[in-house]
Amino acid sequence: MSRLLKMCFLLISMNHAKVTHSQNSEDLPPLLHKAVEEVIAGKYLNALLDILYFQSSNVWTADLLTKVVAYFHAQEVMFTLSSLQMSIKSYLKNLLYQPRQLLSELQQLDQQQFQTAMKYLFNSKKEHLEIGNIILDWGKTRERIFQSPGVNRTLFLVTLDKCFLALSALDCVDILSQVLQVSAVNYLQPDVVGSLPNLLLEDAFRNLSSLFKDLYDRTSASTQRALYGWMKQILQKSHNMSEFNESTSWISAESLWILGRYMVHLPLEEILKISLNEVRLFISYDNATKQLDTVYDITPELAQALLERINSSGFDMRNTSSIYRLGLLVCFYDDLEQMDAAVARALLHQMIKCNQLRGFQAKVHELKSRLLNIAMQNQTLNDTLGSLSDAVVGLTSSQLESLSPQAVHNAVATLNQVSGWAKSQVMILSSKYLSYEKVLSFYNVSQMGALVTGIGTWSLHSMSPRELAQMIRGTTSQYLSDLSPAQQQGILRKIASSGDFSSSVKDIQGAFFKEVSLSDLWKQTGYNSAMLNEKELRSSQALYLYELLSKENHPVDLLSTGQLVKGVTCQLFESMDTDIFLNNFKFFEMNLHLLSPYQVNCLAWKFWKVSNASIPPFLLLALPSEYLEYVTGPLCVPFLERVGKTGMDLLNPSLHKRDAVLQKVQECLNNSIADEYDVDLLGNLICHLPPAFLHDRMSLKAMAAALHQFKLCQQLSHEQKIEIKYKLLQLYGPSNNWTAEATLDVGPFIVLLSKEELNVLAVKFPDTILQIAKTIGPVSSAEELLSAVFESVSNGTGRVLLSLSRADCLRTRAPSSNEIIKLGEANVFWSVQELKCMDPETFDKNVELLGGVSGFNISQLTALKEKAKQVWGLLPDWRSYQIMSLGRIALALSAQEIPELDLSSIDAVSALAQHTGWTLSQARAILQGFLDDSGQTISTLKSFDLVGLGAVLCALNSTEITSIRTAEFSAAIARIGLLFCSTPVLRQFKKMTESVFGAAPSWNGSVLQEIGTIAGGLNEDELKAIDKSLMPYFQPSAVRHIPPEIFQALSPEQIANLGPENAAMVTGWQREHLDAAQLQSLGLALDGARSSSPGTQSTAAAPQEGQSPAPSGAPCLSGFGIWLCAVFTLHLPF
């Protein structure tokens, strides 16, 4: 389309010039005539598609455009450019902000228009779209279309509705594939599956089935069942057309290949009817193994039925090549009679995949144990270690201790690939391997794989700096995040002491870099923005590095690293040139999750100041509550969409503002959640909606779409959960009528059911309930469910009584390994007597599982501690790995028992210190035990000792704290700043901090961020001396730890500058000590007010629909808007 088209609209608007000759429709090509009529009728989308199709085979001429203008006049259409603009603008609002209306428009397209729309949306390879001399960035336009959840759902539904009638089935499958990548779990609901075509050519059916196999894990259990039904219907129809014998099974080898993972939904009786010839053909196919490797949710009954058919079909089930073809079916192999060791080892090798199964791990564990015994027949563990695959995880500590160092060395290539090791096992194996190697070198460490986490902190620290530098660069670097903080600190301190730390800094990647102390960063030079790529930064590091690098680098170079956005201060936001800010806003928007609520507040104020008319609506949430009034009409959709994706938690509104935000959300929804489109728009905002709104204003149709989103919510209130339960019962009916699929879909919300209802489900679907229970948190949040699980497992396994050697256990049930593995958190329901009567071998095998149960009370923990004594002997004989394996059981050790332990290893002490619940006397005993057994004093402790001691440091007295070496304290200070110690201890740590960073009044934002809770040890005068601009850089945990009588010393100005997140951390006790002016300032901070900031006056202009949007985040978000605006050569932002 040429510049003349622009002229035509100008001519229309100028003087309403008369055309001297009459025009009729015959003067225009039919398609163009149709398009012009559609413009007159206001059907701009139809007109656009017709124009695009017309110009694909025609050239625009001046004569043609004259005829178009003449036709408008002949029809007495006398509109001005302004009126046309308003018409299109109104139309666009309906399309962009009402995806339901867009669906209706698309459904009414004729076949040619629909084909054109699909071509440009899905099959066009062009990054740019030319309409005459107008060039659109079509690649970005399409991207924006697919990022809008409502528009994307519309495209999905219209594809199902119209595509298979208008385009080739293969093209439609490809389109569905693209659309479903966005949100298969939300779009593919069981009722939608009913709209799938049931008459498809073979290739199209295969491709669509393949797509659904790829999306299997992203769909609900009910949808999986519905898709299986759709596939079955077509396969049965195909079978009936080719087979006249109704007694033969419709399931052929080809059917099984097409079903793929959906074969797990086949009824047991159908599997038993499959022709043996078809079974043999299926298992002979090369891809059968790949397919059977993915049946993660197969049940033991189905698996064993398939194994039986495969065996009956003539396959030798003891043949190694046959075993390799069985995929996950090997996890349920049950024919172990007279099996030789080689077959057992082949099965174990294949069973490494079994940890991917959804449940049934207790059965797998039991099978591996039996196969392990067979595999070791007439051989020692030393001889067979390398051929036992991940079954070695099932070996007890005493079995691993019996291994020779050479056996571990020879098997390390297998051992280093095994997952699921307990920490104690890794320690034993690492020790064995290294005792054979004698010298700890980079080469030896690089051979260890996951076993590297078992190397002691002191051993790592003893390596040469050069070897450690190689280690953090090499393949071992992938395991650095699995090391304990003490181990990481041991590595860093050695590298830092080498004098060549600057060259090593660039090699420290990922989260490991966060362990580098601020004081170490201060000492280095030669930083540049490029070396910070692939590194994660703490806020203190980012604040220092951004300020340092900003002196010689352009903002775009710093912000493009991602993590450095954490270092942008409010002052930097305010000082940014308008153009620089707007041009770089995209970096803040892309990394919003890295910004603190205070930074988001500063970002919002900056945007409001420089371009309030085009501020992205979601940023209004970070401003005081009254600014939400500007979110009206067309701003509602981008507001809801972005806040729903970002989450309110990041923006951290106060409770008062949260209510205002939720009120605005409800207004934007017209006070109801009508259907799935509203659910799409809300995103995780749905987690915050008031219970009454969920009860009264949410339709069942919306509930079906929202269930998945509700399951992702982190902190639903009890009242919200009650309303969700009410809706679920409306949706699925009484729980005693639920199917297994419905139960799985309800998932964690089954905890809302009564004990009686849960018992019914546990009887009907014991494996499903077990599977759900494994995902539930501690017993406090799901007592009824875990109790039902405990009863179900207990009743299902019968009574296991101990031998007569324990008279007091004669009539007591003893927990078995199988039960302990199944129960998880539900192990909390074992009585003290039952735990006392546990078989010693069962305890030894499962001590780490039991130590991980969060709900055990002190009586249960004491019973388990006594069991440990019975199994491992006297306390002084306990090894470090045994102490580490105790988990929470260690909390039962008294202050008198702790000194009896060998606590010479900082790794064992570190494992103890990570548990919460130690009394001061217990913590003191751990500290003294470590000092005594390691032969150290406080003054000789290294930084990694301090890090490893963790919360035990809270037991230090003031004299001990002052004797810590400054250099070691400075390296560990960020970790110490995470501790919640008493005020006297924090005050001593504060004094030590001054020896590192200078007197408290000289501290800057990066120091306050670095020291964390230590800032809670400031005295009244020191706190008053802190500049108000630094108040947001206190860590939230530090604010909570300032004693109320000290906190009240803050001036109203200081409190007003706390920032939203820190203001939200002020405790009730702290509030009670504040006067009226201070409380008013606290309210301003909570609301995100900036009293001194420009642009907060009441005269500030509201966002205007007609003004130009910012480069990113502006309200005009849809590609359709850009599309239509371009066609009519109008710029229509709103």
Side-chain angles (χ1 to χ4, degrees):
M1 195 185 297
S2 71
R3 284 196 289 284
L4 292 172
L5 185 57
K6 295 183 182 179
M7 291 170 58
C8 87
F9 287 110
L10 290 173
L11 289 169
I12 293 169
S13 65
M14 292 173 59
N15 303 321
H16 303 293
K18 298 292 181 181
V19 179
T20 57
H21 59 282
S22 174
Q23 293 289 333
N24 54 54
S25 61
E26 283 75 22
D27 293 324
L28 289 174
L31 189 59
L32 194 55
H33 169 252
K34 179 168 174 270
V36 172
E37 287 288 351
E38 286 163 340
V39 169
I40 294 170
K43 295 183 176 180
Y44 302 117
L45 177 58
N46 304 62
L48 164 66
L49 294 169
D50 283 335
I51 289 170
L52 283 173
Y53 185 71
F54 175 80
Q55 74 174 30
S56 66
S57 56
N58 295 277
V59 178
W60 286 94
T61 65
D63 177 61
L64 202 55
L65 288 167
T66 302
K67 290 180 179 180
V68 170
V69 175
Y71 185 76
F72 277 130
H73 283 281
Q75 300 302 310
E76 297 184 350
V77 178
M78 297 299 178
F79 48 71
T80 64
L81 186 63
S82 174
S83 66
L84 179 61
Q85 178 173 336
M86 290 304 296
S87 297
I88 297 173
K89 186 174 179 180
S90 176
Y91 173 79
L92 285 178
K93 283 183 186 178
N94 287 332
L95 279 188
L96 302 180
Y97 300 142
Q98 297 183 33
R100 302 171 187 84
Q101 176 66 25
L102 175 60
L103 176 62
S104 175
E105 297 272 337
L106 290 172
Q107 285 173 329
Q108 292 173 43
L109 296 178
D110 63 35
Q111 186 162 319
Q112 187 62 67
Q113 290 167 339
F114 182 79
Q115 289 172 347
T116 303
M118 294 295 104
K119 171 188 170 183
Y120 280 97
L121 276 170
F122 296 102
N123 296 327
S124 174
K125 302 297 182 187
K126 295 179 179 179
E127 285 300 309
H128 295 89
L129 186 63
E130 296 184 20
I131 306 177
N133 69 335
I134 301 166
I135 300 176
L136 300 176
D137 187 342
W138 185 235
K140 283 190 176 178
T141 299
R142 291 171 75 248
E143 186 181 335
R144 289 179 182 179
I145 289 170
F146 293 129
Q147 283 176 348
S148 169
V151 172
N152 212 52
R153 181 182 287 277
T154 284
L155 293 176
F156 169 68
L157 293 174
V158 81
T159 300
L160 279 184
D161 185 44
K162 292 178 71 76
C163 189
F164 289 95
L165 300 174
L167 299 177
S168 79
L170 287 174
D171 285 340
C172 295
V173 171
D174 184 55
I175 289 169
L176 283 174
S177 176
Q178 292 182 58
V179 176
L180 286 171
Q181 293 308 315
V182 175
S183 187
V185 68
N186 288 333
Y187 300 162
L188 268 178
Q189 294 289 337
D191 59 326
V192 172
V193 174
S195 304
L196 292 172
N198 52 19
L199 290 172
L200 283 174
L201 294 175
E202 184 176 345
D203 284 350
F205 173 62
R206 283 177 176 273
N207 288 5
L208 194 51
S209 300
S210 179
L211 168 63
F212 292 146
K213 283 185 278 190
D214 291 340
L215 296 173
Y216 189 94
D217 287 322
R218 294 172 53 195
T219 54
S220 68
S222 298
T223 297
Q224 289 165 4
R225 171 64 74 174
L227 285 169
Y228 160 76
W230 171 78
M231 294 163 78
K232 173 186 174 183
Q233 181 185 14
I234 295 177
L235 290 169
Q236 278 184 319
K237 192 176 294 183
S238 172
H239 168 77
N240 292 339
M241 289 173 65
S242 59
E243 288 280 347
F244 298 103
N245 186 352
E246 293 184 4
S247 65
T248 61
S249 171
W250 61 270
I251 305 170
S252 63
E254 186 178 24
S255 300
L256 290 171
W257 297 330
I258 291 172
L259 283 171
R261 293 184 61 179
Y262 290 89
M263 67 190 293
V264 302
H265 296 281
L266 286 166
L268 192 61
E269 57 272 17
E270 291 279 13
I271 290 174
L272 297 175
K273 284 164 47 180
I274 303 174
S275 156
L276 295 180
N277 286 335
E278 296 296 335
V279 171
R280 186 164 54 250
L281 188 59
F282 168 72
I283 206 71
S284 301
Y285 183 54
D286 287 341
N287 270 359
T289 305
K290 183 179 176 183
Q291 182 169 318
L292 291 171
D293 277 345
T294 63
V295 288
Y296 309 123
D297 48 349
I298 196 166
T299 63
E301 294 74 25
L302 283 183
Q304 282 160 3
L306 281 166
L307 286 170
E308 180 190 323
R309 298 304 283 168
I310 293 168
N311 186 35
S312 301
S313 72
F315 267 84
D316 180 2
M317 301 294 277
R318 298 287 174 94
N319 181 283
T320 303
S321 63
S322 296
I323 289 170
Y324 289 158
R325 290 182 171 275
L326 296 177
L328 290 175
L329 299 184
V330 297
C331 308
F332 305 99
Y333 196 103
D334 59 353
D335 181 17
L336 305 190
E337 285 187 27
Q338 298 182 330
M339 179 179 287
D340 64 42
V343 175
R345 286 195 291 272
L347 282 166
L348 286 172
H349 181 73
Q350 286 299 294
M351 288 185 74
I352 200 166
K353 311 165 185 173
C354 295
N355 59 0
Q356 298 176 74
L357 284 173
R358 309 275 162 79
F360 312 113
Q361 290 302 318
K363 287 181 181 292
V364 171
H365 189 272
E366 190 177 340
L367 177 57
K368 282 183 180 179
S369 181
R370 293 171 65 195
L371 289 169
L372 196 59
N373 292 333
I374 296 170
M376 291 167 55
Q377 281 175 355
N378 303 319
Q379 296 185 75
T380 66
L381 185 55
N382 283 327
D383 296 331
T384 57
L385 184 64
S387 61
L388 299 179
S389 192
D390 72 338
V392 290
V393 171
L395 296 172
T396 64
S397 298
S398 55
Q399 286 175 305
L400 293 176
E401 278 281 25
S402 71
L403 291 167
S404 70
Q406 183 174 357
V408 175
H409 173 268
N410 294 342
V412 76
T414 299
L415 301 176
N416 66 15
Q417 296 178 47
V418 171
S419 61
W421 290 115
K423 183 68 175 176
S424 58
Q425 293 175 311
V426 173
M427 287 182 68
I428 296 169
L429 291 169
S430 295
S431 175
K432 295 279 183 184
Y433 175 77
L434 295 175
S435 68
Y436 178 84
E437 296 293 349
K438 302 295 190 288
V439 178
L440 187 58
S441 67
F442 164 68
Y443 173 78
N444 294 335
V445 169
S446 67
Q447 302 302 302
M448 296 178 69
L451 298 181
V452 74
T453 59
I455 304 174
T457 298
W458 264 105
S459 297
L460 288 169
H461 187 70
S462 69
M463 291 176 69
S464 73
R466 183 179 59 82
E467 302 249 17
L468 286 172
Q470 284 181 287
M471 177 177 155
I472 64 174
R473 283 195 300 268
T475 54
T476 311
S477 62
Q478 65 183 300
Y479 302 108
L480 292 178
S481 59
D482 297 326
L483 299 178
S484 71
Q487 289 171 308
Q488 293 178 342
Q489 184 64 211
I491 293 171
L492 285 173
R493 287 311 291 155
K494 190 57 172 280
I495 296 175
S497 66
S498 67
D500 190 30
F501 190 49
S502 293
S503 62
S504 299
V505 163
K506 65 178 181 296
D507 296 319
I508 302 174
Q509 300 297 327
F512 191 35
F513 189 82
K514 294 170 81 171
E515 296 299 321
V516 178
S517 70
L518 182 61
S519 57
D520 275 336
L521 287 183
W522 281 9
K523 297 169 190 172
Q524 311 308 321
T525 57
Y527 295 112
N528 60 67
S529 58
M531 68 188 289
L532 295 175
N533 288 321
E534 308 302 323
K535 290 176 170 55
E536 289 184 38
L537 304 179
R538 294 196 314 278
S539 292
S540 59
Q541 296 170 319
L543 285 162
Y544 168 68
L545 289 170
Y546 193 98
E547 183 181 8
L548 178 71
L549 294 172
S550 63
K551 296 168 185 173
E552 297 180 3
N553 291 267
H554 194 273
V556 68
D557 297 324
L558 303 182
L559 298 175
S560 61
T561 64
Q563 289 279 323
L564 272 179
V565 299
K566 296 178 181 177
V568 181
T569 64
C570 215
Q571 290 78 8
L572 283 168
F573 277 123
E574 289 176 357
S575 64
M576 269 188 194
D577 175 81
T578 296
D579 289 339
I580 290 176
F581 173 77
L582 292 176
N583 289 333
N584 289 294
F585 177 71
K586 62 185 176 185
F587 293 117
F588 297 115
E589 196 173 26
M590 284 162 42
N591 295 294
L592 208 60
H593 61 288
L594 299 178
L595 300 179
S596 69
Y598 175 67
Q599 285 179 297
V600 176
N601 178 247
C602 296
L603 182 69
W605 278 120
K606 176 66 176 179
F607 214 125
W608 182 264
K609 176 184 175 183
V610 301
S611 185
N612 60 17
S614 60
I615 184 170
F618 77 92
L619 282 182
L620 294 172
L621 190 149
L623 298 178
S625 303
E626 58 266 25
Y627 285 77
L628 289 169
E629 294 172 12
Y630 296 128
V631 180
T632 57
L635 293 182
C636 264
V637 170
F639 173 76
L640 292 178
E641 192 173 300
R642 189 53 199 271
V643 177
K645 287 179 181 175
T646 304
M648 279 214 299
D649 296 334
L650 172 68
L651 302 166
N652 201 40
S654 62
L655 289 176
H656 163 69
K657 192 196 287 189
R658 185 176 292 257
D659 289 341
V661 172
L662 293 177
Q663 186 59 45
K664 177 57 64 177
V665 168
Q666 292 170 60
E667 285 176 22
C668 282
L669 290 169
N670 293 321
N671 288 307
S672 71
I673 308 176
D675 57 21
E676 60 270 36
Y677 279 106
D678 288 338
V679 174
D680 291 340
L681 195 56
L682 279 168
N684 66 31
L685 270 176
I686 205 166
C687 304
H688 304 280
L689 293 174
F693 187 77
L694 295 177
H695 184 277
D696 298 326
R697 304 289 183 170
M698 187 174 192
S699 72
L700 286 183
K701 187 176 185 183
M703 183 63 204
L707 179 55
H708 173 72
Q709 189 65 53
F710 276 130
K711 287 197 279 191
L712 300 177
C713 298
Q714 298 294 313
Q715 293 180 314
L716 290 170
S717 69
H718 176 69
E719 291 74 20
Q720 284 174 308
K721 290 177 180 176
I722 293 299
E723 297 306 334
I724 291 170
K725 174 189 173 181
Y726 172 75
K727 290 291 182 187
L728 288 172
L729 291 175
Q730 281 187 306
L731 189 65
Y732 291 111
S735 60
N736 59 340
N737 293 335
W738 288 359
T739 62
E741 288 78 24
T743 307
L744 265 178
D745 288 341
V746 171
F749 292 114
I750 65 170
V751 301
L752 304 172
L753 299 175
S754 69
K755 180 70 179 298
E756 292 71 24
E757 291 170 315
L758 287 167
N759 284 337
V760 171
L761 288 176
V763 170
K764 280 176 69 176
F765 313 118
D767 295 323
T768 301
I769 297 300
L770 266 180
Q771 186 178 330
I772 295 170
K774 287 286 187 182
T775 66
I776 301 295
V779 66
S780 58
S781 64
E783 185 169 355
E784 298 285 339
L785 171 63
L786 294 178
S787 173
V789 165
F790 183 79
E791 289 178 19
S792 172
V793 170
S794 301
N795 295 337
T797 52
R799 294 180 61 80
V800 180
L801 303 179
L802 281 189
S803 66
L804 299 179
S805 59
R806 286 285 305 270
D808 57 334
C809 292
L810 186 59
R811 297 188 177 278
T812 302
R813 174 190 182 77
S816 68
S817 283
N818 191 295
E819 290 170 316
I820 291 169
I821 293 168
K822 281 184 178 180
L823 288 171
E825 275 293 321
N827 278 297
V828 74
F829 291 100
W830 293 113
S831 70
V832 169
Q833 182 63 20
E834 287 168 334
L835 292 173
K836 283 180 179 178
C837 293
M838 190 189 309
D839 180 71
E841 186 180 348
T842 301
F843 175 83
D844 201 25
K845 277 186 176 181
N846 299 287
V847 61
E848 302 210 26
L849 271 175
L850 294 167
V853 175
S854 63
F856 279 138
N857 60 37
I858 192 62
S859 300
Q860 291 168 309
L861 294 174
T862 301
L864 290 168
K865 176 197 70 176
E866 294 302 322
K867 180 61 63 176
K869 288 182 181 180
Q870 178 192 337
V871 177
W872 296 338
L874 299 174
L875 293 174
D877 297 330
W878 287 10
R879 308 286 294 274
S880 288
Y881 68 79
Q882 290 171 324
I883 295 171
M884 294 178 74
S885 69
L886 283 172
R888 291 188 68 254
I889 299 170
L891 293 171
L893 290 164
S894 69
Q896 292 70 43
E897 290 173 315
I898 289 169
E900 295 184 52
L901 298 170
D902 177 3
L903 296 179
S904 58
S905 162
I906 188 59
D907 301 294
V909 172
S910 178
L912 293 177
Q914 72 182 0
H915 301 299
T916 56
W918 294 111
T919 64
L920 186 60
S921 60
Q922 284 176 308
R924 186 73 206 177
I926 293 171
L927 173 66
Q928 198 58 52
F930 172 65
L931 294 174
D932 293 343
D933 294 342
S934 65
Q936 296 197 78
T937 62
I938 299 292
S939 62
T940 64
L941 292 177
K942 299 280 191 183
S943 62
F944 52 81
D945 292 321
L946 297 173
V947 169
L949 283 164
V952 171
L953 291 175
C954 294
L956 289 169
N957 60 43
S958 57
T959 305
E960 290 169 329
I961 292 173
T962 55
S963 65
I964 298 172
R965 282 181 291 177
T966 302
E968 305 303 326
F969 182 82
S970 69
I973 199 167
R975 282 282 170 184
I976 295 172
L978 298 174
L979 305 178
F980 298 156
C981 299
S982 65
T983 300
V985 172
L986 291 179
R987 285 179 178 159
Q988 281 306 129
F989 282 148
K990 186 266 301 178
K991 290 179 181 177
M992 285 295 298
T993 301
E994 290 184 303
S995 67
V996 178
F997 295 122
S1002 69
W1003 293 349
N1004 59 21
S1006 61
V1007 171
L1008 284 169
Q1009 280 287 301
E1010 179 82 350
I1011 66 175
T1013 55
I1014 296 173
L1018 292 168
N1019 64 35
E1020 187 174 329
D1021 293 334
E1022 290 165 336
L1023 196 59
K1024 281 161 50 176
I1026 297 289
D1027 189 273
K1028 66 179 183 181
S1029 66
L1030 295 176
M1031 295 307 296
Y1033 299 102
F1034 280 84
Q1035 285 200 21
S1037 55
V1039 173
R1040 294 185 72 88
H1041 276 79
I1042 301 173
E1045 63 276 11
I1046 304 294
F1047 189 79
Q1048 69 180 351
L1050 288 170
S1051 69
E1053 291 75 20
Q1054 285 176 305
I1055 292 175
N1057 281 275
L1058 275 171
E1061 188 176 21
N1062 282 345
M1065 285 292 132
V1066 175
T1067 66
W1069 283 0
Q1070 289 169 327
R1071 279 173 177 267
E1072 288 175 9
H1073 285 69
L1074 300 181
D1075 61 28
Q1078 289 172 314
L1079 286 171
Q1080 184 181 14
S1081 292
L1082 183 62
L1084 290 172
L1086 284 166
D1087 212 23
R1090 301 272 307 286
S1091 57
S1092 61
S1093 177
T1096 61
Q1097 293 82 4
S1098 59
T1099 56
Q1104 297 297 312
E1105 292 185 26
Q1107 296 185 27
S1108 298
S1112 175
C1116 191
L1117 291 176
S1118 167
F1120 277 101
I1122 298 167
W1123 213 7
L1124 286 165
C1125 291
V1127 171
F1128 293 99
T1129 69
L1130 298 170
H1131 186 56
L1132 301 172
F1134 45 89

